Amino acid sequence: MKKSNWIGLAIAVLVDVFLLWLWFFLGFNQVDSPLDLVISIIWLVAIVAVAAAVNRLERQREKRLRTIYVSSTAVFNKERGLVSLGSAAAAPSVMERILRDMEYGFDLKEMPKPEEFNCRYVVQTDEYKATGGEGGDPTWKGTVVAIDHAAGNREMPFSSRDELAAALA
């Protein structure tokens, strides 16, 4: 979730807790029925449940956005679009640059037509965390799906850039 979502959630929880405290402080718990307390607690649970659901859905959306389609001449990502490769060996470094620069926005590119882009691999990144500068290896885990229409698709997990490069070879 974005920072503004967390701030909104914190404000909603604080207002609910403040109103519950005010209800007890002003003595309304002795005048009103206990249904008010139950409603307040249900509302607090609903706020937490909605926040957890939004957080989970956002993580799933980010994972889908990190998916990169690879051909022998280009890579495609929904956020970045079609990016040409100098050679097939450059694919891991181009994909790393795409993942490092991702903004996880909502302006997405359309998948190219099959005549323009012949997808050979689908790289599904579960976790990507860039580490210090250009020289450090990132934390990069996921799955490479090799597309083979005749024999069936083949999944290969990877947990480093070297394993990804080997899976794409």
Side-chain angles (χ1 to χ4, degrees), residues 121 123 143-146 154 156-158 161-169:
Y121 300 99
V123 179
T143 307
V144 175
V145 179
R154 206 171 21 107
M156 299 165 279
F158 67 91
R161 184 175 184 212
D162 296 334
E163 289 180 15
L164 173 63
L168 293 176

Side-chain angles (χ1 to χ4, degrees), residues 21-131:
W21 172 81
L22 193 62
W23 185 70
F24 274 103
F25 181 75
L26 296 175
F28 291 144
N29 61 330
Q30 298 171 1
V31 177
D32 287 340
S33 68
L35 182 62
D36 295 337
L37 176 62
V38 171
I39 290 173
S40 180
I41 292 171
I42 289 172
W43 179 245
L44 186 59
V45 168
I47 289 172
V48 171
V50 166
V54 166
N55 191 28
R56 183 167 186 258
L57 290 172
E58 180 64 18
R59 295 292 167 244
Q60 289 174 349
R61 186 185 79 82
E62 288 176 358
K63 183 178 177 181
R64 281 193 309 271
L65 285 178
R66 285 191 301 262
T67 300
I68 299 175
Y69 303 89
V70 182
S71 77
S72 57
T73 59
V75 297
F76 174 79
N77 175 267
K78 290 181 181 181
E79 185 174 291
R80 188 76 180 266
L82 198 60
V83 178
S84 295
L85 295 174
S87 67
S93 60
V94 171
M95 290 189 297
E96 184 176 354
R97 198 171 337 119
I98 289 172
L99 291 173
R100 192 175 345 122
D101 297 340
M102 287 197 74
E103 296 175 4
Y104 299 103
F106 292 95
D107 183 29
L108 304 179
K109 310 289 190 253
E110 290 291 324
M111 185 78 170
K113 295 177 182 151
E115 306 87 49
E116 301 169 3
F117 183 74
N118 184 19
C119 183
R120 294 178 47 209
Y121 300 99
V122 178
V123 179
Q124 299 168 328
T125 301
D126 296 329
E127 178 185 351
Y128 179 82
K129 192 179 295 184
T131 54

Side-chain angles (χ1 to χ4, degrees), residues 1-22:
M1 285 189 348
K2 297 198 179 275
K3 189 176 183 179
S4 60
N5 293 348
W6 286 111
I7 291 171
L9 173 66
I11 290 171
V13 169
L14 289 174
V15 166
D16 186 57
V17 169
F18 173 73
L19 291 175
L20 183 60
W21 172 81
L22 193 62

